[in-house]
Amino acid sequence: MSGLPQAPAPGRRIAVIGGGWAGLSAALQASDLGAHVTLLEMAPRLGGRARSLGDGPDALDNGQHILIGAYTQSLALMRRVGVDPDRALLRTRLRLRYPDHDTLTLPGGPPWLAFTRGVLACRAWSWRERLGFLMHSSRWMASGFRCAPSLSVAALTAALPPRVRQDLIDPLCVAALNTPASQASAQVFLRVLKDALFSGPGSADLLLPSQGLSALLPEPARAHLLAAGADLRTARVQALSREGTAWQVHTAQETVSVDAVVLATSSVEAARLTQTLAPDWSARTAAFEFQPIITVYLESPGSSLPAPMVALHESANEPAQFAFDLGQLAQRPGLFSFVISGAAPWVARGLEATADATLAQARRALSWHTPPRLHRVLSEKRATFACTPGLQRPPAALLPGLVAAGDYLEGPYPATLEGAVMSGLAAARSVMR
């Protein structure tokens, strides 16, 4: 009967191109719905931009990722492949702690009450600053956490007390959107605040990985897919074509014929593969600007930070916004990761200069049992799209039997693991109908 949703079609042949978190989510969902899944990933290791580099005790993640309690789809997917989030993630209340003082710490309870109590209890701010922040937050809530699409976060929060902007808004913005407040979309930032702070008890909790990123999803998902009979191949897709109702996936070695394709690559690869199939979509996808993230790993045997995650004040000569104590995260005692989000100015200066500046910042801002020294510097030059005001992102649907998945597609969220997972699940459900 027309107008009713179609039931999933078991036995369909589905190709998922890309083995990041969006592609893995799509492959798992399609497999669970009865599809014969072929997953093609050009890198030797699954996980995309959230994976571990190497194996064994010396493995490092390619960047420091944070989850929050509101990431319900990501947490559910972990459980589906046998990962217990309570063991794999250190869960703490949202607490933005600097080396010398605390700022906002959220207690338990109903979201708005917890937020109000947390702000009023913040002794780092004067009463005038606390009440000013609550007043502006109330206005955001009254507006449904909506604003003009053209507004930047800096413009939205210009009337806030400077210390609130410096201690809270700026670091939260660059952490969530990987875009500095002066350039970041206020509308997307408000949506993040709404879902993180006010969507339910525990939604703002910080979930810090106490295992390598590959152990959170990529490797368990790989084992789950293989056990379900999926075909996992290491190959770069050269082209896509359509013959009748079937799709042809061409690699340098072979052509795979399937009923539908989930295109879960980076936006750059997706634009390349769709240039002739969907030129308008391809052009829109190719137009993204990107923001890099640099992670500087320092080692200092016997040292520890005041908390597993510590916020830092960045400046023209101090690049890092957050530092993580991997010993307190049950990974590697004496190893620390310093994260530089929205790192384009530092990429321009060069990784050596960035590492030197981060090391100097760490020595000034924190206390050490032994002098910290550089361990490794990792850079993701296209870590996320630049989440700017009014950005028009492409839709997921391309052509019959061809659907895209990825955190860059149109939607209310910035580039996050949760956005990637939600997109992959939706793409799989779409091609299975």
Side-chain angles (χ1 to χ4, degrees):
M1 183 180 297
S2 62
L4 294 178
Q6 297 177 346
R12 281 173 66 80
R13 299 165 301 160
I14 304 297
V16 178
I17 305 174
W21 285 52
L24 291 170
S25 306
L28 289 165
Q29 180 75 356
S31 179
D32 286 351
L33 292 174
H36 300 296
V37 174
T38 299
L39 175 66
L40 301 104
E41 165 59 48
M42 63 181 179
R45 186 180 291 266
L46 299 174
R49 288 163 291 155
R51 70 191 189 281
S52 302
L53 304 175
D55 297 297
D58 294 329
L60 293 175
D61 290 337
N62 70 329
Q64 186 71 50
H65 286 261
I66 305 173
L67 291 80
I68 60 174
Y71 284 11
T72 56
Q73 297 299 314
S74 299
L75 298 175
L77 195 66
M78 291 179 198
R79 295 186 183 97
R80 189 186 303 184
V81 297
V83 176
D84 182 359
D86 293 333
R87 292 179 178 272
L89 301 163
L90 174 65
R91 187 173 194 128
T92 67
R93 299 284 187 194
L94 174 63
R95 180 186 185 187
L96 208 57
R97 180 170 183 174
Y98 287 84
D100 56 351
H101 68 282
D102 270 348
T103 57
L104 181 66
T105 300
L106 292 190
W112 181 248
L113 178 60
F115 177 75
T116 303
R117 289 171 56 201
V119 172
L120 292 177
C122 181
R123 296 183 179 180
W125 302 337
S126 69
W127 277 107
R128 183 175 182 179
E129 289 167 335
R130 294 178 235 183
L131 294 175
F133 184 37
L134 285 176
M135 179 183 68
H136 281 82
S137 302
S138 299
R139 291 174 182 170
W140 297 341
M141 177 172 280
S143 68
F145 292 94
R146 296 187 182 90
C147 68
S150 59
L151 273 185
S152 69
V153 172
L156 174 77
T157 61
L160 280 175
R163 288 194 64 183
V164 175
R165 294 201 309 270
Q166 182 183 31
D167 281 352
L168 183 68
I169 298 299
D170 290 349
L172 283 184
C173 176
V174 78
L177 277 64
N178 191 34
T179 306
S182 60
Q183 306 168 31
S185 166
Q187 182 58 74
V188 175
F189 182 68
L190 285 177
R191 180 58 185 262
V192 170
L193 288 185
K194 174 186 176 184
D195 286 359
L197 300 181
F198 303 108
S199 64
S203 59
D205 287 357
L206 296 177
L207 308 180
L208 305 178
S210 56
Q211 301 178 9
L213 288 174
S214 288
L216 290 187
L217 182 70
E219 289 306 315
R222 179 180 181 275
H224 190 91
L225 288 168
L226 289 173
D231 186 6
L232 277 58
R233 307 184 187 185
T234 302
R236 186 186 188 195
V237 174
Q238 303 295 325
L240 296 172
S241 63
R242 196 175 181 189
E243 293 185 9
T245 59
W247 281 92
Q248 311 299 316
V249 181
H250 306 279
T251 72
Q253 295 78 29
E254 61 182 337
T255 295
V256 180
S257 181
V258 293
D259 298 307
V261 174
V262 175
L263 188 56
T265 65
S266 69
S267 60
V268 174
E269 281 289 288
R272 178 183 68 84
L273 289 171
T274 57
Q275 192 168 11
T276 57
L277 292 168
D280 291 342
W281 190 93
S282 174
R284 191 168 168 182
T285 303
F288 279 112
E289 296 181 359
F290 296 95
Q291 282 284 357
I293 294 177
I294 299 174
T295 306
V296 178
Y297 286 94
L298 302 181
E299 53 186 341
S300 172
S303 297
S304 63
L305 299 185
M309 183 184 84
V310 176
L312 301 169
H313 286 303
E314 66 172 319
S315 69
N317 297 310
E318 297 177 312
Q321 298 102 358
F322 292 94
F324 296 83
D325 186 336
L326 300 189
Q328 293 188 53
L329 294 177
Q331 294 188 41
R332 293 177 61 178
L335 190 65
F336 307 86
S337 62
F338 286 71
V339 178
I340 306 161
S341 298
W346 287 98
V347 168
R349 295 194 199 187
L351 295 186
E352 183 176 352
T354 303
D356 290 343
T358 304
L359 183 57
Q361 178 186 12
R363 288 171 172 165
R364 284 192 298 268
L366 297 158
S367 299
W368 301 94
H369 180 72
T370 57
R373 58 183 183 269
L374 180 65
H375 181 74
R376 190 171 178 182
V377 182
L378 298 174
S379 174
E380 284 278 350
K381 292 186 177 181
R382 292 174 175 169
T384 68
F385 61 87
C387 193
T388 52
L391 178 66
Q392 297 297 309
R393 292 149 65 178
L398 281 92
L399 296 168
L402 178 61
V403 178
D407 59 14
Y408 64 89
L409 297 167
E410 78 181 6
Y413 301 108
T416 60
L417 294 178
E418 181 75 353
V421 168
M422 293 172 63
S423 178
L425 297 174
R429 288 192 290 265
S430 176
V431 297
M432 285 297 290
R433 297 194 182 279

